[in-house]
Amino acid sequence: MFDFTEEEIKRYSRHIILPEIGGTGQSKLKKARVLCVGLGGLGSPVALYLAAAGIGTLGLIDMDKVDISNLQRQVIHSTKDIGRLKVESAKEKIKAINPGVTVNTYTEAISSKNVKEVIAGYDIVIDGCDNFATRYLVNDACFFAGKPNVYGSVFRFEGRASLFCKEGPCYRCMHPHPPPPGEVPSCEEAGVLGVLPGIIGVIQATEAIKHILGIGRSLKGRLLLYDALDMSFREVKIKKDRNCPLCGDNQTVKDLIDYKQFCGLK
Amino acid sequence: MKTLDIKGEVCPYTFVKTKLALEHIKGSDTLKVITDHMPAVDNVSRSCSNEGHEIVSSKKINDTDWEIVIRKKLS
Ligand SMILES: [Zn+2]
């Protein structure tokens, strides 16, 4: 028999009932290890829903503390958490939703020195970061480690999501190198509609769950674009670029790069 | 034939537990389910049929219990 407790059978019954999931799928979720990079606007819904879904192990990496300006969109944190480490605040909410989830927290700044080691312990990475330096670092580290990377980003009223993995394109296939700091909107310009990361984060969580279960059609090779003002989705095909500096024929990015952090587009 | 006693369970857990047991048995073996929840006789049978399993028989076996015999579909 599956090694579910009575409590787990009831907790996950709405999953188990689905022919596409069943006990077999729920076991896969329980065995899965997912790393959430960033516990901000995107990471909040990602962590909440993955915990509820019964992902066995969640890794949370974020060095920041909760600030009052985060609470407009980072729904895993509460007013009482202001000043606490985001990973600690998030861990408490995850455990409250589902005590069965094992939570590992990392509060070091993510860099070329530690990213490989952290990623190595997980099956899939969810990029919920808010800066280019981390986005490229996570993309490159996932490529080198052969781990799928669920990408999401939000800016003003628009969001994007995709899945980067071995068989498909990577982030650098779309954007080979980070933009120069001057071309990136400043923090003050980078407003964001509070509900937007909720929508994009839930899409990222959905892609992670589908990938673990091996069901449906993934966002591999597709960039999903969401416009909240127009309330519309569209998608753009993204191809693996033979000239990609990372995954192309003439690889020039052969090691992890620590780009200078600069304020920027989420 | 394996027997699954789910007396005391109500819907939808009657089906959830039946489904888990069916996932676990091999090939196209049969599973005997014992329930004391009358609506489950219909519900479990219907849900199992919807998933492609075959209801071999279903009958009342005493004052309180029903027995449903299900043959697992070949995957
Ligand atoms: Zn690439």
Side-chain angles (χ1 to χ4, degrees):
Chain A
M1 214 42 195
F2 296 101
D3 58 345
F4 295 128
T5 62
E6 278 296 304
E7 191 262 331
E8 286 173 323
I9 291 174
K10 303 213 157 151
R11 178 183 286 268
Y12 304 122
S13 56
R14 265 52 171 191
H15 268 169
I16 294 168
I17 284 170
L18 290 170
E20 291 82 355
I21 302 184
T24 309
Q26 195 63 46
S27 292
K28 288 183 188 170
L29 296 177
K30 192 176 173 180
K31 288 191 191 94
R33 303 172 59 88
V34 180
L35 179 67
C36 302
V37 179
L39 271 300
L42 295 167
S44 288
V46 166
L48 291 170
Y49 273 102
L50 292 185
I55 298 296
T57 305
L58 283 177
L60 312 177
I61 181 160
D62 202 314
M63 63 186 291
D64 288 342
K65 289 178 175 162
V66 179
D67 182 82
I68 191 165
S69 66
N70 301 149
L71 302 179
Q72 160 254 23
R73 65 196 179 284
Q74 302 184 10
V75 294
I76 204 167
H77 312 298
S78 314
T79 304
K80 69 167 176 56
D81 298 314
I82 292 169
R84 291 177 79 193
L85 280 164
K86 286 186 177 178
V87 292
E88 289 304 322
S89 158
K91 182 179 179 176
E92 188 181 294
K93 312 304 160 40
I94 289 167
K95 286 288 189 182
I97 290 172
N98 192 345
V101 179
T102 301
V103 182
N104 305 323
T105 58
Y106 308 88
T107 53
E108 317 91 277
I110 190 165
S111 75
S112 61
K113 286 173 197 66
N114 58 17
V115 68
K116 263 186 198 165
E117 201 189 316
V118 174
I119 285 180
Y122 297 88
D123 310 315
I124 182 164
V125 177
I126 303 195
D127 173 11
C129 76
D130 62 353
N131 64 82
F132 280 112
T134 308
R135 172 146 312 137
Y136 280 89
L137 188 66
V138 168
N139 178 70
D140 298 357
C142 285
F143 173 78
F144 290 130
K147 305 268 164 109
N149 169 18
V150 190
Y151 158 73
S153 70
V154 291
F155 179 65
R156 299 190 177 189
F157 295 94
E158 289 168 17
R160 302 162 140 217
S162 192
L163 175 80
F164 305 131
C165 59
K166 241 185 194 159
E167 308 75 37
C170 78
Y171 186 71
R172 285 188 191 267
C173 290
M174 286 194 295
H175 305 290
H177 301 285
E183 284 178 24
V184 168
S186 70
C187 290
E188 291 70 32
E189 288 171 305
V192 61
L193 183 70
V195 294
L196 183 60
I199 291 167
I200 300 300
V202 169
I203 289 169
Q204 290 178 281
T206 309
E207 286 299 291
I209 288 171
K210 280 163 57 191
H211 183 87
I212 293 160
L213 296 172
I215 60 171
R217 182 166 77 110
S218 80
L219 278 177
K220 180 183 79 179
R222 298 189 288 151
L223 178 67
L224 189 66
L225 302 160
Y226 170 67
D227 180 337
L229 284 182
D230 193 49
M231 196 48 81
S232 64
F233 286 93
R234 63 195 180 90
E235 76 174 59
V236 178
K237 287 222 162 23
I238 35 175
K239 282 199 183 130
K240 203 171 171 73
D241 183 1
R242 297 187 62 183
N243 298 314
C244 175
L246 182 67
C247 72
D249 295 344
N250 297 300
Q251 186 187 37
T252 52
V253 177
K254 293 181 172 158
D255 274 310
L256 296 171
I257 303 169
D258 289 304
Y259 291 106
K260 240 187 107 200
Q261 284 261 9
F262 44 82
C263 253
L265 169 80
K266 306 283 165 175
Chain B
M1 174 164 50
K2 265 202 152 168
T3 299
L4 176 71
D5 183 345
I6 48 167
K7 290 202 291 187
E9 290 292 353
V10 295
C11 297
Y13 305 117
T14 46
F15 173 59
V16 171
K17 291 202 166 175
T18 303
K19 188 178 148 90
L20 286 173
L22 281 167
E23 277 187 67
H24 194 71
I25 63 173
K26 291 186 185 70
S28 61
D29 277 1
T30 49
L31 175 74
K32 185 194 287 182
V33 178
I34 310 292
T35 177
D36 57 3
H37 182 61
M38 206 248 282
V41 180
D42 257 12
N43 288 334
V44 169
S45 302
R46 194 152 33 105
S47 301
C48 288
S49 299
N50 286 345
E51 288 209 1
H53 307 295
E54 183 198 340
I55 305 304
V56 177
S57 65
S58 95
K59 59 175 186 249
K60 201 168 194 320
I61 50 170
N62 59 42
D63 285 352
T64 54
D65 306 337
W66 286 262
E67 173 197 287
I68 312 164
V69 177
I70 307 156
R71 182 178 303 283
K72 183 180 177 173
K73 74 163 171 189
L74 274 170
S75 52

